[in-house]
Amino acid sequence: MSALPWYEDVSPGRGTLPPRAWYARSDAAVLSLNGDWAFRLSPTADAEDESFAAPDFDAGAWGTVAVPGHWVLQGKAYGGPAGGRYGDPAGGGYGGPVYTNVRYPFPVDAPRVPTENPTGDHLRRFDLPADWPAAGGAVLRLDGVESCARVWLNGVELGEFKGSRLAHEFAVGHLLEPRDNVLALRVHQWSSGSYLEDQDQWWLPGVFRDVTLLHRPEGAPGDFFTHASYDHVTGAGTLRVECDVPGRVTVPELGLDLATGEAATVPVEPWSAEVPRLYEAELAAGGERVPLRVGFRTVAVENGVLTVNGRRVLFRGVNRHEFHPERGRSLDLATMRQDVELMKRHNINAVRTSHYPPHPAFLDLCDTYGLWVIDEGDLETHGFAELAWEGNPVDDPRWTPALLDRAARLVERDKNHPSVVMWSLGNECGTGAGLTAMARWIRDRDPSRLVHYEGDHSCADTDVYSRMYPPHAEVDEIGRRADEGPEARRRLPFILCEYAHAMGNGPGGLADYQRLFETYERCQGGFVWEWIDHGLVHPVHGYGYGGDFGEELHDGNFVCDGLLFPDRTPSPGLLEYKKVVEPVRIADGGAGTVLVTNGHDVSDLAHLAFTWAFLADGESLATGPLEVPALAAGASARIALPAPPAHPAGAETLWTVRALLAHDTAWAPAGHEIAWGQIPAGAPARRVPLPTVHPARTADRTTLGPGVFDSRSGLLLALGSLPVTAAPRLDVWRAPTDNDEGAPWQPEDRHGPAWRALGLHRMRHRTDEVVADDEGLTVRSRVAPAASDVGLRTTYRWTSDGTALRLDVEVVPEGDWRVPLPRLGVRLGLPAVLDRAIWYGAGPSEAYPDTREAARLGRWEATVGALHTPYLRPQENGARIDTRWVELTSPTAGLRVEGDPVFAFTARRWTTERLDAAAHRGELVPGDTLWLHLDHAQHGIGSQSCGPGVLPEHRLDAAPAAFSLAFTPLG
């Protein structure tokens, strides 16, 4: 067999310089080569020869692409069928994106790749600036190319590399000309490196990070390593900067002037995610001056607990893929900054860089703003799990040099960032000797940080025990160090590197996890999967997911599992997470006090200002400041509340106490809310409409107060002058959420398929009896699915006091119900002219039994359209829980619904059936009916799109139930 072409051999490449630390700037000259490049796409790796790299090659007939960028997001075919099937440039397009989760989108025959291998030739002509120094050398830096690249400058081949999310540099000073330099890149979509990059994401080839020319003055440093430890006992920091050339390091604020390699110990303020204290410094060596930012901190495992600067750390984290809905993984600094600021505003303190090193500027932002970082290697071989890990590269010594290259390029580039507290070998690679080699190399190079890897539960190569999606009961067991497994593992701190799968409506159960993290010292938090929905802009659907771009093999909307929508609008899941992980707890302290607990790892409360508000029936009657001492981290205090102001007798009263930023920060202005709590002050007087009017009945119509009924069927036809287009009837169906549908690999408890199998989406209503008596109207019915003997005996009892129409519903299950109900309530149709909702209850966002922490009691108002949550795959959404009353109004009419005592309401202009049938947002077209759901209860949400299902306390099992509602026409 002939030798494999370079892109199929298992080596990491040739010709590149050794990896080194990245820094944003120095006083050396820099030339960005970003911009429009000439581009030619070929269907195979060998369709064109190498003549395009010659300086005199005429690329006038080529197209163009933007660098940084992905060519599949720039061609005319992107987002539509015009360019033919994926990877085919016919029709003038550049192919299209492909999404797979685990499966490789090509035959698994490592290290071989298909002949159909889209190949992008890139050309960039450039002149050196007039002031470019004549002395010294130069380095060409490529920060990210998927999946591999061969590089020429002025017709001379520099080498090639693999490792898409890794930086690669070439020495080019001897080849540069003052004018008309020609840089040529040949980029293949598939290579042997693709087998190491099977990360749950879009496959997006191209030069997607910066291309830069860096001048290197004579004697300038090639690499340096800033060591800055902190002794929490003495309060002293020790600084030492290693450098491959002699130089000096100055830190003016600390009065330090050191030779490279020399150590000094001085009193310092430590760096942490809560107080990201950085000292400005400078490295001067060989004609280059490099600004440094030094953060003193020490990472350790002490008595089985992960500590930084001697304090236990609780990760309130997220997993973050790099993503933009138009540019894919090509992010600009403004987008990265937006991510960091959104994280800080939502009480997130940690990031796992799933599943590769991010753009290095993102880590600069983490240093500045304060985020703990698990920096992960560009490594995943998950597709081999489909083959029982047979042939897995991480257990094949031929691949070990490539694995070690990836480890080195991770660590060397990012080693000077204080935000990085753990190195992660990679993700979902099974086990093997290659991982052990990586861990050994990393420990030798940087013993100051911990090593992470989730895939080997023996923890032979790791310093923490890490798991994905363990159920709550198992986390409890691990927290008690009662879990089975190696004894050495039970002595390690525990984190959930992925949990709470944020796909669609959800995740549920966050608060239940957080209680475990705050109960057990060993359980040190986790990282929600994940930060943002990966919906790519699509001309038909708005945002597309797997299968929307003509892919033959894909994993659908599993790529849309984030706390942000693609446009970076926070989802209800992010609002819930912010509340669940808030670093200040505000609770009822009893006897007119509020209990305030500082849950920060490090900070006291001096940076916060507290306020109180007194509410009566949801309306704020008075507000004021609340004096709270600057409690140390972990401390609590009971603070006296003021005397309640005058308020209406019988009103429901409560206090809302808020913790706000006292001063502007880099990520939010003064007044930004960090935490809140509500404390009951007085129970409401019970309001029950008493039956005082008698029904008036004819053969066709029965009138009861404001209600008009069909005498034969007992169905409600009108409420005063407001027509009822669909009478209230028992409703148990919801459009299954992604978590209801569950993960295919967890078939035993997937409620969505079980509900459909039982027929809950096509319930039939049988009227058994309609009885009018002196006090009201009673309708007895049975609600049941076809082809089943289970059912729900349902009694509707209507009464009125002349103004309000009261409905009492009793439900008794019949048969052997083996699945929970999706919901239990009534649904009715009203004229769509009712387009505004005002309610007193929990809000302002949607909430469900296990996603209710962020819902606070008050009076809220929204249009009917704004009540809808626009998940990329339409599904159950928009419920407002704990509603006391809701008014649905138009300029001329309205309806008030009250609960006895509370209910959840959902209002939308399409049926549940239409919602269930839609695959994309644009398929939901408002109709001429407002569908109002009034729920006694709903089943929880859970996280079973990838994680555990709904906890028992949040299940809606079929059981006898009774609830009451009162309807009053308005206007």
Side-chain angles (χ1 to χ4, degrees), residues 857-878:
L857 197 60
R859 289 202 189 189
W860 311 103
E861 183 173 356
T863 64
V864 168
L867 294 173
H868 174 71
T869 304
Y871 296 113
L872 264 64
R873 186 191 73 79
Q875 56 197 272
E876 166 62 33
N877 73 87

Side-chain angles (χ1 to χ4, degrees), residues 395-552:
D395 203 26
D396 183 338
R398 295 177 301 163
W399 293 81
T400 300
L403 302 186
L404 290 173
D405 180 74
R406 289 172 184 250
R409 292 186 184 278
L410 162 74
V411 172
E412 299 295 6
R413 193 197 74 169
D414 297 343
K415 59 183 176 282
N416 294 326
H417 291 282
S419 57
V420 176
V421 294
M422 275 191 263
W423 302 117
S424 181
L425 304 180
N427 183 67
E428 292 176 319
C429 296
T431 59
L435 293 169
T436 300
M438 293 173 72
R440 183 180 300 118
W441 186 92
I442 290 173
R443 285 199 177 94
D444 287 345
R445 178 61 173 139
D446 180 25
S448 71
R449 293 177 173 94
L450 307 183
V451 174
H452 169 273
Y453 177 66
E454 183 272 341
D456 182 3
H457 293 171
S458 75
C459 297
D461 298 318
T462 67
D463 299 310
V464 296
Y465 179 27
S466 177
R467 289 287 304 279
M468 294 182 181
Y469 310 105
H472 299 77
E474 186 177 357
V475 175
D476 180 85
E477 185 178 66
I478 292 170
R480 292 184 281 107
R481 300 188 188 270
D483 51 310
E484 297 181 356
E487 174 62 30
R489 190 182 75 187
R490 287 197 292 274
R491 294 194 294 268
L492 297 179
F494 176 67
I495 65 168
L496 281 69
C497 68
E498 293 180 22
Y499 83 116
H501 198 247
M503 186 176 180
N505 187 336
L510 282 169
D512 306 278
Y513 274 119
Q514 193 67 20
R515 279 189 283 273
L516 294 169
F517 301 157
E518 294 178 8
T519 297
Y520 297 112
E521 188 179 44
R522 182 191 188 191
C523 295
Q524 297 192 241
F527 298 78
V528 168
W529 185 267
E530 65 167 306
W531 177 236
I532 187 169
D533 282 347
H534 296 190
L536 287 168
V537 169
H538 191 282
V540 176
H541 303 310
Y543 293 111
Y545 46 75
D548 288 336
F549 300 95
E551 306 104 305
E552 296 175 346

Side-chain angles (χ1 to χ4, degrees), residues 505-509 571-573 575-576 579 676 734 737 822-823 839 841-857 860 866-869 871 876-883 903-906 908 933 935-942 954:
N505 187 336
S571 74
L575 305 181
E576 177 78 354
K579 173 61 178 170
W676 60 271
R734 73 183 187 194
T737 67
R823 72 183 338 138
W839 74 99
S845 188
E846 71 180 25
Y848 291 81
D850 54 350
T851 65
R852 57 177 298 129
E853 298 301 309
R856 70 183 86 185
L857 197 60
W860 311 103
L867 294 173
H868 174 71
T869 304
Y871 296 113
E876 166 62 33
N877 73 87
R880 267 62 180 182
I881 63 170
D882 292 344
T883 301
F903 59 96
F905 83 91
T906 308
R908 52 175 76 108
H933 299 258
D935 291 319
H936 170 63
Q938 280 226 24
H939 186 61
I941 296 297
H954 304 308

